[in-house]
Amino acid sequence: MITLYNTKTKTKTKMKAKTAQSFRKGFFTLHSSLFTSLLLAAMTVTSCSDWNDHYEGSNSDASSNMTLWEQMQSTPELSDFCQVLENTKMIRMHRKTNVSYADMLNNGQTYTVVAPVNGTFNRDSLIELTGTLSGDSLVAKFFVLNHISRSNTSLNSATSEMFMLNNKYKDLSATDNTIDGVSVNQGNIHTHNGVLHITQSPLPYEHNIFEALCDKQELSSVGDVLKQFNEDYFYADASASSGIVEGVPVYVDSVIIERNRLLENLAYIDEEDSTFWMVAPVSEEWNRIWSEAYDYFKYDNKVLKRDSLQRMRAARALLQDAIFNMNETQTPNEVLHSVPYENWRKSYLTGRPKFHEFFTPFAEGGILADARPEPCTNGMLYIVDKWPFTPEQTYFTELWTEAEQTALITSYNNCSYNSNKNEGAGISQDGYLHIIPKNNTANWDMSFRVDNTLSGTYDVCAIVLPRSAVLLDNGKPCKFKATISYVDENGNTQTFNCNNKQFKSDPEKIDTVVVAENFKFPTCNYGQNDIKVTVALKCSILPAETRNYSREMYLDCIYLRPRINNTDEQ
């Protein structure tokens, strides 16, 4: 979802866009045409640019011939602020340019500047930081852009907030004569290209959840993992094309935005327009649970970009149950719903929830009972010393391969089958597979694909229904063997014959038959399209046993039950 903010009407317009985390991120990246105009502005004051006409229109006050920069330079009490603006350079494509924010404010484009007076901030420390690329970025984000708005905003009763160039909203109060709680010494100073407000001190910078994770020392390990997924993205829809040359589009005005590949498919905790709660562990605890989750997502050597995929899956596995969208939560003290999962299982399991529920989160034993709340601009961080979730509660969950979903059958011999529904009988997903032998003495075999296994330990089970669960009469037990196929670290197929054991189903109850206990998958199969894990069942009734056993089977599902901290080997 893209959010465009109209600084004239103070309305937010929603637009769908899966390719961009937020259009507002584009304000951090200069359009090539804007950058060119600002280079010219460094030498001379220009008239309103095409950018200004397009996004804001000409709202400058013609009563003053001075620009914002000239107005501030002529105000002695703003000399410290002016020096910081002169030394802070704009960054383009991760490189410092020769254009300062002083040059920007000496241009004809319209801005509103909130300027703190001398002696209320450490001028020398800020200027020293601007000597490096990273330091310059920090000064721009946390200080300079926190005081500049791409608008023409006066302090009056009709205006309640102002959107700044660092994507923060500032509350305006004409009654109290404050901006974000800071007293205004002199406001509504109109210039040729905008409005200047002089304040008693700098405006406070408040972190959103993503920024707090990245900037707070006690949470830095979480932020370090999140930042691995930051990337620059060429936003073609917002860029101006001059046509196609030799089949390749040529752009005269390119827009490069920052996005986070993990968050754009999870939750916009780096945006200001939504409200989230998030459970965040301190760095030491995060390192522990990260190592644990990382081991569950080991892909085999034939999977492309397996290391990157392992990091992405592990990070998502931890975070998707730790973030809650409060815009969709009605009673947070009673129950919290985790953000929607990407499909943990294929679409044929539509009956299973795509989120987890955590009840009475603040009560004793609840996930937030021992958390320390940390307010953020887009919600609340709940910092914990101990992670309140277990793998079984979150990512290392039960896996159900529903037998009635015949697309999961990879092979079958000496039988036919019917997919049936039976509601209200305690059958998983109200469906089962009726396996019918070719003849009275035929021992059939059937294999099922199993998706989304992690590199962990499971009990592998077949849930077999008694005949009485689907028909009125009683039946006989079924006798069968099982084989598990999987891939090793090198991507080679291996098989386990379940110790060649004979399994017998209980003819009087829904029977969970454990065919392999504490079975360790060496590699992860999560999200893979290739068939890498199968469970095969083979009827194993001798001719002499026909009177005692049935070759028909009513199969509910193949069920994998997670086992934690088990070191037993097959």
Side-chain angles (χ1 to χ4, degrees):
M1 186 72 71
I2 291 177
T3 303
L4 298 182
Y5 187 78
N6 188 316
T7 52
K8 293 180 182 178
T9 62
K10 297 296 185 292
T11 59
K12 300 183 180 73
T13 303
K14 299 293 185 181
M15 299 173 58
K16 291 182 179 179
K18 296 183 180 297
T19 57
Q21 191 166 330
S22 168
F23 181 80
R24 294 203 311 268
K25 293 284 178 63
F27 283 115
F28 282 104
T29 305
L30 295 176
H31 288 252
S32 57
S33 60
L34 175 60
F35 180 64
T36 301
S37 70
L38 288 175
L39 282 176
L40 295 174
M43 298 178 286
T44 183
V45 177
T46 64
S47 61
C48 283
S49 67
D50 291 340
W51 169 279
N52 186 55
D53 292 338
H54 179 70
Y55 286 102
E56 293 294 338
S58 180
N59 288 320
S60 302
D61 184 7
S63 63
S64 173
N65 290 322
M66 287 197 295
T67 64
L68 282 161
W69 174 242
E70 290 168 339
Q71 179 66 56
M72 287 189 291
Q73 277 193 312
S74 67
T75 308
E77 62 185 343
L78 300 181
S79 60
D80 288 355
F81 187 62
C82 288
Q83 288 185 50
V84 174
L85 292 175
E86 286 179 309
N87 283 275
T88 308
K89 305 297 183 181
M90 291 185 171
I91 294 174
R92 177 173 171 79
M93 301 299 290
H94 301 289
R95 294 182 180 180
K96 291 178 68 172
T97 70
N98 293 324
V99 181
S100 71
Y101 285 96
D103 299 326
M104 184 184 80
L105 297 176
N106 204 29
N107 188 269
Q109 299 165 55
T110 302
Y111 297 96
T112 297
V113 176
V114 180
V117 297
N118 293 347
T120 60
F121 56 91
N122 194 324
R123 177 200 61 190
D124 295 337
S125 294
L126 291 173
I127 292 175
E128 182 180 358
L129 275 174
T130 62
T132 64
L133 175 63
S134 60
D136 191 278
S137 297
L138 291 173
V139 174
K141 176 182 178 181
F142 291 103
F143 186 74
V144 173
L145 299 180
N146 197 51
H147 292 84
I148 303 175
S149 173
R150 189 72 179 84
S151 66
N152 196 17
T153 305
S154 296
L155 187 61
N156 55 55
S157 58
T159 307
S160 61
E161 67 178 6
M162 180 166 53
F163 182 62
M164 314 308 285
L165 286 184
N166 62 355
N167 296 340
K168 299 296 181 181
Y169 293 98
K170 301 298 181 183
D171 294 326
L172 306 180
S173 174
T175 303
D176 298 332
N177 197 37
T178 61
I179 299 176
D180 229 26
V182 177
S183 297
V184 177
N185 289 353
Q186 188 177 357
N188 300 337
I189 303 171
H190 291 261
T191 71
H192 176 71
N193 64 334
V195 181
L196 173 66
H197 306 291
I198 301 174
T199 56
Q200 281 187 1
S201 61
L203 300 183
Y205 185 94
E206 298 178 79
H207 290 83
N208 60 37
I209 292 175
F210 177 76
E211 291 168 338
L213 295 172
C214 294
D215 298 334
K216 288 185 175 295
Q217 183 61 38
E218 67 174 333
L219 305 174
S220 59
S221 290
V222 186
D224 288 345
V225 170
L226 286 177
K227 287 186 288 188
Q228 293 178 24
F229 303 100
N230 286 344
E231 66 179 16
D232 289 338
Y233 177 79
F234 171 60
Y235 193 11
D237 290 347
S239 301
S241 173
S242 63
I244 298 176
V245 177
E246 297 181 352
V248 179
V250 176
Y251 293 90
V252 295
D253 189 2
S254 300
V255 178
I256 307 295
I257 64 172
E258 294 179 2
R259 69 175 183 180
N260 187 287
R261 291 183 294 111
L262 177 66
L263 296 180
E264 69 178 359
N265 291 312
L266 182 63
Y268 293 111
I269 58 173
D270 55 344
E271 291 296 308
E272 306 289 339
D273 293 329
S274 296
T275 303
F276 297 98
W277 285 4
M278 179 177 174
V279 185
V282 295
S283 290
E284 182 179 1
E285 179 69 354
W286 172 264
N287 292 336
R288 181 190 70 80
I289 63 174
W290 169 257
S291 177
E292 181 179 47
Y294 193 72
D295 285 342
Y296 278 107
F297 290 90
K298 293 179 180 177
Y299 288 87
D300 66 78
N301 294 341
K302 293 183 179 179
V303 175
L304 295 176
K305 298 182 178 180
R306 60 186 180 278
D307 293 338
S308 297
L309 195 58
Q310 185 177 11
R311 287 194 298 272
M312 171 72 84
R313 296 303 189 190
R316 185 179 177 87
L318 292 173
L319 295 178
Q320 62 192 355
D321 279 307
I323 302 174
F324 310 95
N325 188 340
M326 303 313 293
N327 294 337
E328 301 175 2
T329 302
Q330 303 300 318
T331 55
N333 290 333
E334 297 176 12
V335 61
L336 291 173
H337 301 278
S338 59
V339 293
Y341 280 12
E342 68 176 282
N343 267 333
W344 271 86
R345 306 169 184 90
K346 300 294 183 182
S347 59
Y348 48 74
L349 290 181
T350 54
R352 300 202 182 280
K354 295 180 181 178
F355 55 83
H356 285 153
E357 294 179 321
F358 301 95
F359 294 94
T360 57
F362 295 101
E364 184 177 356
I367 61 171
L368 302 179
D370 300 318
R372 301 185 296 277
E374 178 80 25
C376 297
T377 59
N378 60 346
M380 188 77 73
L381 263 180
Y382 286 93
I383 302 173
V384 295
D385 296 319
K386 182 175 176 56
W387 191 238
F389 309 101
T390 65
E392 300 118 308
Q393 287 178 303
T394 52
Y395 57 88
F396 190 37
T397 56
E398 298 172 332
L399 297 178
W400 302 76
T401 297
E402 297 295 334
E404 70 272 13
Q405 300 294 338
T406 56
L408 302 178
I409 299 173
T410 59
S411 66
Y412 65 97
N413 293 290
N414 292 326
C415 65
S416 60
Y417 56 82
N418 294 317
S419 178
N420 298 298
K421 299 293 290 183
N422 190 339
E423 297 181 3
I427 300 172
S428 171
Q429 298 298 296
D430 296 324
Y432 66 94
L433 188 73
H434 182 196
I435 303 173
I436 308 164
K438 186 176 181 179
N439 54 57
N440 290 337
T441 59
N443 280 338
W444 52 266
D445 62 82
M446 183 173 288
S447 179
F448 300 86
R449 68 179 291 167
V450 178
D451 294 321
N452 296 324
T453 54
L454 303 188
S455 47
T457 302
Y458 297 86
D459 288 340
V460 181
C461 312
I463 298 183
V464 183
L465 307 175
R467 181 181 173 88
S468 59
V470 296
L471 298 173
L472 295 178
D473 57 334
N474 294 323
K476 303 173 185 178
C478 185
K479 190 168 70 166
F480 60 95
K481 293 184 177 181
T483 302
I484 301 170
S485 294
Y486 60 96
V487 297
D488 60 19
E489 292 88 345
N490 295 319
N492 298 321
T493 300
Q494 306 292 336
T495 59
F496 174 62
N497 67 0
C498 300
N499 298 322
N500 204 32
K501 288 178 62 175
Q502 299 272 6
F503 303 99
K504 300 176 184 179
S505 64
D506 191 325
E508 297 182 357
K509 68 176 184 179
I510 297 176
D511 192 10
T512 300
V513 181
V514 180
V515 299
E517 189 174 3
N518 301 328
F519 184 81
K520 177 70 164 68
F521 288 98
T523 59
C524 165
N525 185 41
Y526 178 78
Q528 299 290 287
N529 292 322
D530 297 341
I531 300 174
K532 294 193 173 183
V533 177
T534 62
V535 174
L537 305 181
K538 180 177 176 60
C539 184
S540 58
I541 301 172
L542 298 174
E545 299 176 314
T546 300
R547 296 183 61 181
N548 299 322
Y549 295 97
S550 172
R551 287 182 170 84
E552 283 186 287
M553 179 181 280
Y554 302 93
L555 182 63
D556 186 357
C557 62
I558 303 297
Y559 164 56
L560 270 63
R561 181 169 57 205
R563 299 290 295 265
I564 297 292
N565 297 329
N566 197 294
T567 58
D568 293 351
E569 297 293 337
Q570 294 299 319

